[in-house]
Amino acid sequence: MTTWVILKLLGSLALLMFGMKQMSDALQKLAGPQLRHVLGAMTTNRFTGMLSGLFVTAAVQSSTATTLMTVSFVNAGLVTLMQAIAVIMGAHIGTTVTAWIMSLGFVYNITPYIYIFLFFAIILIYMKSGRMMGDLLFGISFLFLGLGTLKDTGFAVIQDPTAGEALMQFFQQFNEPTFWNALFFLLIGTLLTLCVQSSAAIMAITMLLCSTGMLHIEQGIMLVLGENIGTTITANIVASSANVQARRAAFAHFTVNAIGVTWALILLRPFYNLVCQIAGFDSQIPATAPDYAIKASVVLATYHTVFNVANTLLQIGFVQYIERFVCWIVKPKKVDEEEDFRLHFIQSGLMKTPELSVLEAQKEIRAFSERMQRMFGMVRELLTEKDEQKFANEYARIEKYEQISDNMEIEIAKYLDQVSDAHLSDDTKAKIRSMLREISELESIGDACYNMARTIQRKVQGKKDHFTDRHYEHIEQMMGLTDQALTQMNALLGGRKESYDVNRTFNLENEINNYRNQLKSQNINDINNHQYSYAIGTIYMDLINECEKLGDYVVNVVEARMGSKQTKV
C-alpha cells in the first residue's frame, strides 16, 4: 500500500512537471520572437524593465526562460546589468501566476474535463497549422491531470490509518510557531527546490500538505520562501561556467530574493496576518473544516504574490546599489577570455526551448564574427612588424585564433545539430540552416587570415627580397577595403536584417574585385620591367588574392543571414 502510494505521488509530480514544461515551451514557440522584442524594447528604465519581466514571465510561465533571455541580452550589450536586475524583479512577480494555476487545481476539480482537452490537443497536433496550440493544450492537460492525481493521492494518504497517522505525527512536532521550526522549513523548501529544480512542483507539494492539514500554513509559507531561494541557487550553479555578466545577473537574482526572505522572516507574524486578511482566511479554523483545503491553497498563492510584489516594490528603487554589490562580489576571471576558447552564450545545464537556443547560437555567431575581424587586425599588424620577438608572438596569436575558429565552428554546429532534433517550426529550421552556413564561412575567413599570416612569415624567412613602399601602400588599401566589409558583416550579424542595405556589401565586393584585377595587371608589368623579383611579386599577389577570397566569404555570410541561396567561392 505504502509503496504504491509513493510511486503514485512521484508519478503525479512527474506528470505535473512535464505539463509545466510542455506548456511553457509551447507558449514560447507561439510568442517567442515577439516576446524577445518586447523584452529588448521595454527596458529603457528600471520600471519599464520590471513591467517587461512581469509580462514576459506571465506569458511564457517560466521565470527561467525570462532570465535566460535577459542574460543573453546583457551579454550582447543590448541591456545593461541594471536593467536586467529590474527585469528579473518583474519576473519574480510574473512567476506568481504559476501559484494561482496550482491553486486553481486545488479549488476546482478539473480532472473530468482533461480528457476532452487531450482529445482536441491530439487533433490540433495532427493539423500542421495548429501543432503549437495542440502542444499548449497537452501541457495544460498534463499539468491539471498531475495536480488532480497529486491531490487525490494526498487525501487518500490522510485517510489511510497507518500512513496518515505516521505523517501527521511527524509534521506535528514542527507545527509550533517557533523561529527554529520556521528556519527548518525554509531550509527544506530550499533543498527540495534545488534537488527537483522546479519551484512549481514544490509549490504543489506545499499546497497539498497544507490543504490536507498535515502542515500548518505558517510552515507552508516558510516552504514557499525556501522555494524562492532554491530556484535562484539553481540559476547560480548553471551560470558558474558562464561569463562574468551572466554570473552577476544570476547572483543578483539570488540577492534580491535573499533580501526579501530576510525581511519576511523579521516580519513573519504581522505579514502573515496581513495576508490572511487579504485572503479572507481565519488562521484559527481547524483543518477539518469543509472549505479548509480550498482556502489553504488560496492563502499560499496570495502570500506568494504579495511577498513578491512587496519585495519588488521595496527594492526597485535600490537597483543601482544591488548592481554595485553584485559587481563587487562577482569579479571577472583573471584569465584572458578572448585568448581562451570558450563559448560565451551557449550554456548547458538548463532545459531550453529551440527558440531560446537559436537566440543563444545567434549571439555566439556574432561573437565568432567579431573574433575573426580581430584576427584580421592582427594580420595587418603582422605585416608591418619589424621586431622578431614581437613578430613571433603575434604569429603565435594568429595560429591560436585559427585553432579557436575551427573549434567554434565544430561546437556551434554540434549545438545546432542538437537543437534540430527537437520539434521545430519551418522558420526555425530555416534559421538553423542559415547559421550552419554562416559558421562555415566564418571559419573560412579564419583560414584566409591564417594563410595571409603564413605568407607574411614566408617573406620574412626569405630575408632576400622585400616589399616596396608601393606594395605596402596597395596591400594596406586592399586590407582597408576588406576590413570595411568585415565591419559591415558584423553590423548585420549584430542588428536586424530588415534595416540592413545588402547593396553596400555587394558594392564593396565589386570594389575589392576590381582593385585586385588592377593590381594583378600592374604586378605583371612591374615584374616584366624588373622593378622587383618574381618571388616577391608572387608573395605580394598571394596576400591580395587572400583578401579578395576573404571578401567573398564575407558576402557568403551576408547572403546566408539575408536568406539568399547563392554562394561565392
Side-chain angles (χ1 to χ4, degrees):
M1 172 67 180
T2 306
T3 304
W4 170 248
V5 168
I6 291 173
L7 289 174
K8 197 171 180 182
L9 283 170
L10 291 174
S12 59
L13 269 178
L15 200 59
L16 184 147
M17 291 169 66
F18 175 76
M20 281 298 301
K21 183 181 184 303
Q22 185 79 3
M23 182 178 70
S24 177
D25 288 356
L27 285 167
Q28 289 175 61
K29 287 178 186 177
L30 282 167
Q34 290 79 6
L35 292 177
R36 285 208 314 273
H37 296 155
V38 167
L39 196 59
M42 290 181 59
T43 51
T44 52
N45 58 60
R46 70 189 72 177
F47 297 103
T48 56
M50 180 191 72
L51 290 174
S52 65
L54 189 160
F55 172 74
V56 171
T57 305
V60 301
Q61 280 302 293
S62 174
S63 58
T64 298
T66 306
T67 303
L68 283 170
M69 284 190 278
T70 305
V71 169
S72 178
F73 284 164
V74 173
N75 290 340
L78 302 177
V79 175
T80 66
L81 181 59
M82 186 184 297
Q83 291 168 336
I85 294 171
V87 172
I88 290 170
M89 286 182 176
H92 291 161
I93 300 177
T95 196
T96 60
V97 177
T98 305
W100 287 105
I101 293 174
M102 298 290 173
S103 177
L104 186 66
F106 280 88
V107 173
Y108 300 103
N109 184 18
I110 308 177
T111 308
Y113 306 100
I114 293 301
Y115 303 101
I116 300 173
F117 291 147
L118 288 171
F119 173 74
F120 284 111
I122 197 68
I123 292 176
L124 288 170
I125 285 176
Y126 278 100
M127 294 168 56
K128 189 175 181 181
S129 59
R131 178 164 189 165
M132 286 188 286
M133 186 59 68
D135 288 341
L136 176 60
L137 274 179
F138 252 127
I140 295 171
S141 302
F142 284 131
L143 168 63
F144 283 110
L145 188 61
L147 272 175
T149 309
L150 187 68
K151 182 177 69 173
D152 294 342
T153 308
F155 280 101
V157 169
I158 290 298
Q159 294 169 2
D160 181 80
T162 306
E165 185 65 27
L167 285 171
M168 289 292 284
Q169 287 179 358
F170 173 77
F171 284 111
Q172 277 178 356
Q173 62 184 322
F174 300 105
N175 266 347
E176 287 296 321
T178 65
F179 176 78
W180 295 111
N181 282 346
L183 210 58
F184 171 75
F185 281 101
L186 177 71
L187 182 62
I188 291 297
T190 303
L191 292 176
L192 284 176
T193 307
L194 187 59
C195 293
V196 178
Q197 293 196 13
S198 172
S199 58
I202 306 305
M203 174 62 79
I205 293 174
T206 305
M207 287 183 173
L208 173 65
L209 291 172
C210 292
S211 297
T212 54
M214 284 188 185
L215 195 64
H216 193 274
I217 289 185
E218 276 196 40
Q219 314 303 352
I221 283 172
M222 297 311 301
L223 284 176
V224 171
L225 292 176
E227 292 157 18
N228 279 270
I229 297 292
T231 192
T232 64
I233 294 175
T234 304
N236 277 271
I237 291 173
V238 173
S240 61
S241 60
N243 63 25
V244 64
Q245 291 293 69
R247 297 197 302 275
R248 285 171 175 170
F251 188 69
H253 189 198
F254 168 78
T255 302
V256 169
N257 275 2
I259 293 171
V261 169
T262 301
W263 69 253
L265 279 173
I266 295 171
L267 302 175
L268 182 60
R269 174 59 60 177
F271 194 63
Y272 168 67
N273 292 334
L274 173 65
V275 170
C276 286
Q277 287 180 7
I278 293 172
F281 177 75
D282 183 3
S283 58
Q284 302 302 318
I285 63 172
T288 54
D291 58 348
Y292 183 87
I294 294 173
K295 288 190 174 180
S297 61
V298 171
V299 169
L300 290 173
T302 303
Y303 186 91
H304 192 225
T305 302
V306 174
F307 165 74
N308 280 288
V309 170
N311 190 41
T312 297
L313 293 179
L314 285 172
Q315 296 190 57
I316 192 67
F318 301 96
V319 169
Q320 67 269 34
Y321 300 107
I322 296 172
E323 180 193 32
R324 291 178 193 173
F325 175 70
V326 298
C327 289
W328 178 66
I329 293 294
V330 182
K331 304 290 186 183
K333 292 181 179 178
K334 292 184 179 180
V335 298
D336 187 352
E337 293 186 352
E338 182 56 43
E339 298 297 321
D340 179 42
F341 167 67
R342 183 168 62 85
L343 298 181
H344 291 268
F345 304 103
I346 294 175
Q347 305 296 338
S348 59
L350 280 180
M351 292 181 290
K352 297 180 282 289
T353 62
E355 183 66 41
L356 287 172
S357 300
V358 167
L359 175 66
E360 289 183 339
Q362 285 176 337
K363 296 294 186 294
E364 202 66 68
I365 290 172
R366 181 188 176 187
F368 189 2
S369 174
E370 291 172 346
R371 197 188 292 253
M372 291 303 95
Q373 186 170 15
R374 283 192 290 274
M375 183 180 181
F376 182 71
M378 295 174 200
V379 174
R380 296 180 74 177
E381 292 176 9
L382 190 73
L383 178 67
T384 56
E385 184 58 65
K386 304 299 182 183
D387 186 273
E388 290 187 8
Q389 186 58 50
K390 289 181 179 178
F391 183 93
N393 293 340
E394 195 71 12
Y395 183 80
R397 272 187 86 196
I398 293 171
E399 263 190 326
K400 188 170 184 179
Y401 264 64
E402 200 278 330
Q403 294 170 4
I404 288 174
S405 71
D406 291 343
N407 291 332
M408 289 191 77
E409 180 194 19
I410 293 169
E411 292 301 319
I412 298 173
K414 190 186 300 181
Y415 181 74
L416 290 173
D417 186 55
Q418 292 172 353
V419 174
S420 64
D421 289 337
H423 296 297
L424 305 174
S425 63
D426 291 338
D427 182 53
T428 304
K429 289 178 182 176
K431 283 182 182 177
I432 290 177
R433 285 195 297 269
S434 296
M435 286 191 286
L436 287 170
R437 181 180 167 197
E438 287 167 21
I439 59 174
S440 174
E441 299 298 337
L442 287 172
E443 193 276 333
S444 296
I445 290 175
D447 288 343
C449 291
Y450 184 49
N451 288 339
M452 282 188 273
R454 289 195 299 178
T455 300
I456 295 169
Q457 187 190 47
R458 192 169 77 245
K459 179 188 80 69
V460 170
Q461 288 175 344
K463 294 184 179 180
K464 293 181 180 179
D465 296 318
H466 301 282
F467 286 151
T468 65
D469 290 341
R470 285 179 61 196
H471 281 152
Y472 281 114
E473 181 183 338
H474 294 156
I475 294 172
E476 183 58 34
Q477 189 171 347
M478 175 62 91
M479 286 185 168
L481 291 172
T482 308
D483 193 59
Q484 287 181 43
L486 287 167
T487 300
Q488 290 187 12
M489 177 187 72
N490 283 324
L492 170 62
L493 294 179
R496 299 187 65 179
K497 65 181 182 181
E498 293 83 3
S499 59
Y500 183 78
D501 183 8
V502 72
N503 289 323
R504 289 162 49 188
T505 295
F506 292 143
N507 291 338
L508 255 180
E509 170 62 10
N510 289 332
E511 192 174 348
I512 289 171
N513 288 342
N514 292 336
Y515 193 51
R516 186 274 312 265
N517 294 337
Q518 175 189 335
L519 294 180
K520 184 177 180 180
S521 298
Q522 187 176 344
N523 179 62
I524 293 172
N525 291 333
D526 290 344
I527 291 174
N528 289 335
N529 293 330
H530 304 289
Q531 294 190 16
Y532 46 80
S533 68
Y534 179 83
I536 199 68
T538 301
I539 293 175
Y540 164 64
M541 282 311 301
D542 282 347
L543 290 174
I544 297 298
N545 287 327
E546 283 297 337
C547 283
E548 193 277 331
K549 286 182 184 177
L550 197 153
D552 288 342
Y553 299 139
V554 168
V555 171
N556 292 341
V557 173
V558 170
E559 288 181 340
R561 178 54 62 97
M562 298 299 290
S564 174
K565 294 184 179 180
Q566 297 179 0
T567 302
K568 299 197 71 174
V569 293

